[in-house]
């Protein structure tokens, strides 16, 4: 081991090559040292996470939230319900989408647009304005959308990255088509353990309550406010056991080993029926 990492390691991500997840994984490799970190694509987010759980990779890089569309529910539910891996890092990427088209096709003739659901949603206004007669169709990834476009029997386009266009030789019809230019996606790095304290950390937790009562969430959040701990993000996800019951996912400033954070987490744990620290890790630049 060197600095807590293997001398040579695999980083799994949602493939294929050309996805924004690959760009994030390459960024993670750059952080660790590119000569000893090898990003490896997997077909789905669960497969990328499963590679770490099964020992086929040391880390997984998966999207967790977008500045336009909010939480990536697939990842959130996986963290809450299905994996024991810990969040050990984060990477924040500016997301700039391109409109790719079949060779020789004019944009007004496009009748179907392929992309990942998140990308389609991030370009909703652009599509309504420039391609009002085209049907948006979900692909497994933004890079996979290029293959779907090529195989389509209808005049087709894809929303993907400039890197995907370069990798697959696709024609770029338009650039920066996202509805908001400040569009960003936050990716989390998952591994067997979380990170050591750096002094500029974020801690992610999730919890639920055994019964509903007035002020119950307010009381839990009061454990943070009473200690001056800044809450960075809060999300709710169905608990999958009954209608109207939720898990709460919260990010706070600080590391789980900071005294004030440790006390606050203990207070929330005492109020919750299920409580899980997802990890403490250095904050990425937004």
């Amino acid at each position: 081991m060197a600095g807590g990492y293997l001398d040579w390691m695999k980083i799994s991500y949602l493939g294929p090559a050309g996805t924004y997840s690959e760009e994030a994984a390459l960024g993670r490799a750059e952080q660790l040292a590119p000569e000893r970190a090898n990003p490896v694509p997997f077909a789905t987010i669960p497969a990328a996470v499963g590679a770490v759980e099964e020992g086929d990779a040391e880390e997984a890089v998966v999207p967790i939230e977008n500045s336009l569309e909010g939480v990536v529910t697939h990842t959130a539910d996986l963290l809450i319900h299905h994996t024991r891996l810990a969040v050990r890092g984060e990477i924040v990427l500016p997301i700039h989408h391109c409109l790719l088209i079949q060779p020789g096709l004019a944009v007004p003739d496009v009748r179907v647009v392929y992309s990942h659901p998140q990308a389609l949603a991030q370009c909703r206004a652009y599509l309504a304005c420039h391609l009002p007669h085209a049907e948006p169709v979900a692909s497994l990834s933004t890079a996979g959308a290029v293959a779907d476009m090529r195989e389509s029997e209808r005049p087709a386009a894809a929303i993907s990255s400039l890197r995907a266009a370069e990798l697959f030789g696709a024609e770029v019809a338009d650039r920066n088509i996202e509805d908001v230019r400040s569009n960003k996606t936050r990716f989390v790095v998952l591994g067997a353990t979380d990170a050591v304290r750096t002094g500029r950390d974020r801690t992610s937790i999730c919890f639920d309550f055994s019964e509903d009562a007035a002020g119950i969430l307010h009381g839990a959040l009061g454990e943070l406010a009473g200690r001056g701990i800044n809450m960075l993000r809060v999300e709710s996800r169905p608990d999958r056991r009954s209608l109207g019951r939720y898990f709460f996912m919260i990010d706070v400033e600080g590391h789980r080993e900071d005294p004030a954070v440790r006390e606050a987490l203990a207070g929330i744990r005492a109020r919750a029926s299920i409580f899980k620290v997802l990890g403490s890790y250095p904050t990425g630049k937004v």
Side-chain angles (χ1 to χ4, degrees), residues 4 13 34 76 90-91 111 115 123 136 179 183 230 286:
Y13 68 91
E90 69 174 4
I91 298 165
R111 289 298 174 263
S115 198
C123 302
D179 294 338
N183 187 25
N230 187 28
V286 178

Side-chain angles (χ1 to χ4, degrees), residues 187-204:
F187 296 81
V188 288
V189 182
L190 305 181
T193 61
D194 59 1
V196 298
R197 293 171 66 186
T198 67
R200 49 178 184 82
D201 302 300
R202 176 192 292 242
T203 295
S204 298

Side-chain angles (χ1 to χ4, degrees), residues 37-56:
N38 179 32
V40 180
F42 286 81
T44 64
I45 290 174
V49 174
V52 181
E53 294 172 328
E54 295 165 12
D56 295 325

Side-chain angles (χ1 to χ4, degrees), residues 51-236:
V52 181
E53 294 172 328
E54 295 165 12
D56 295 325
E58 284 68 55
E59 291 186 345
V61 174
V62 293
I64 185 65
E65 66 170 326
N66 175 262
S67 59
L68 303 186
E69 290 301 307
V71 67
V72 179
T73 57
H74 203 160
T75 301
D77 291 343
L78 188 150
L79 289 172
I80 293 170
H81 299 288
H82 298 298
T83 186
R84 294 184 179 181
L85 297 181
V87 182
R88 66 178 359 165
E90 69 174 4
I91 298 165
V92 181
L93 286 184
I95 302 297
H96 300 298
H97 296 300
C98 295
L99 181 70
L100 313 183
I101 58 174
Q102 294 168 327
L105 183 66
V107 171
D109 296 329
V110 170
R111 289 298 174 263
V112 58
V113 180
Y114 294 97
S115 198
H116 188 276
Q118 282 273 332
L120 291 170
Q122 292 163 25
C123 302
R124 188 180 292 115
Y126 177 91
L127 293 175
C129 179
H130 297 277
L131 291 162
H133 304 298
E135 176 189 2
V137 176
S139 298
L140 288 176
S141 68
T142 51
V146 182
D148 292 338
M149 174 188 74
R150 286 178 166 172
E151 296 169 3
S152 176
E153 295 181 355
R154 291 186 286 171
I159 295 174
S160 194
S161 66
L162 183 60
R163 174 170 168 78
E166 294 168 346
L167 284 174
F168 305 121
E171 182 178 338
V172 179
D174 204 354
R175 302 188 184 196
N176 300 330
I177 68 170
E178 61 278 0
D179 294 338
V180 178
R181 292 293 180 263
S182 59
N183 187 25
K184 293 181 175 69
T185 293
R186 186 166 74 98
F187 296 81
V188 288
V189 182
L190 305 181
T193 61
D194 59 1
V196 298
R197 293 171 66 186
T198 67
R200 49 178 184 82
D201 302 300
R202 176 192 292 242
T203 295
S204 298
I205 64 173
C206 67
F207 57 91
D208 75 350
F209 303 106
S210 59
E211 58 183 24
D212 195 14
I216 193 168
L217 179 60
H218 180 271
L221 299 183
E223 300 286 351
L224 301 172
R227 294 173 176 84
I229 298 170
N230 187 28
M231 185 173 63
L232 301 171
R233 184 177 73 102
V234 59
E235 301 279 353
S236 62

